[in-house]
Amino acid sequence: MGYTNFQLEVLNQHNTLRKRHSADPLELDSNLCNYAQEWANTLASKNTMQHRSNNKYGENLYACFGKTNITGKEAVDSWYNEIKYYAFGAPAPGNFSQVGHFTQLVWKTSRRLGVGIAAKGTSVYVVCNYDPPGNFTGQYHLHVSRQ
């Protein structure tokens, strides 16, 4: 499968940031990309932000309103910026809603990445899915390393 420039940019930014935290690089997976694209299309059609229910993969969502020319780096950096709220070394974050995107991004055992993007008007939705998923209580200190 040929990947889009956006998908490759998302992958490259993930791997640049993962390297800072001693996490192996991710690889794009065509099935996961189709899965992520399907959900991005659903979000755009409903013009809403919500995680897929009963998802067997890790998932990060990003939305931008008012412009359509977003970059993959912009979406990934928004998740990574949650690092400022993360307390390294804890078995589980007490503020998961503030740090869950960051921790999934750098989770050491995730190996495959799916990227989807869809727009409705000037609303753009980005979905990333991760396999295996991260964010397991009690395992953060093993899978989320300091820079």
Side-chain angles (χ1 to χ4, degrees):
M1 171 178 180
Y3 296 108
T4 67
N5 286 340
F6 184 83
Q7 289 170 322
L8 293 170
E9 187 178 4
V10 168
L11 174 69
N12 290 338
Q13 188 63 5
H14 267 83
N15 289 338
T16 295
L17 298 171
R18 288 173 63 82
K19 187 175 183 178
R20 292 183 189 173
H21 297 272
S22 304
D24 289 336
L26 297 173
E27 294 180 4
L28 284 173
D29 178 278
S30 58
N31 291 327
L32 265 181
C33 284
N34 291 337
Y35 187 79
Q37 187 61 53
E38 177 185 282
W39 192 242
N41 292 344
T42 298
L43 295 178
S45 70
K46 294 180 178 181
N47 218 18
T48 188
M49 276 288 278
Q50 65 185 57
H51 284 282
R52 189 188 298 245
S53 59
N54 301 316
N55 194 345
K56 62 183 178 178
Y57 303 113
E59 184 172 78
N60 279 349
L61 304 178
Y62 174 81
C64 183
F65 306 103
K67 69 176 191 170
T68 56
N69 60 336
I70 69 163
T71 66
K73 184 180 185 312
E74 186 178 333
V76 177
D77 285 351
S78 76
W79 300 324
Y80 187 79
N81 287 339
E82 294 177 358
I83 189 174
K84 63 187 169 213
Y85 303 114
Y86 186 70
F88 286 93
N95 59 339
F96 179 76
S97 64
Q98 291 182 297
V99 300
H101 300 102
F102 161 70
T103 54
Q104 175 59 82
L105 194 159
V106 301
W107 197 265
K108 285 187 177 180
T109 54
S110 294
R111 293 288 179 258
R112 289 169 298 286
L113 177 68
V115 181
I117 182 171
K120 182 175 186 177
T122 59
S123 299
V124 180
Y125 298 88
V126 176
V127 176
C128 282
N129 288 115
Y130 304 83
D131 185 37
N135 289 331
F136 290 101
T137 299
Q139 297 183 18
Y140 287 83
H141 63 292
L142 300 172
H143 296 284
V144 181
S145 296
R146 293 184 191 277
Q147 288 182 307

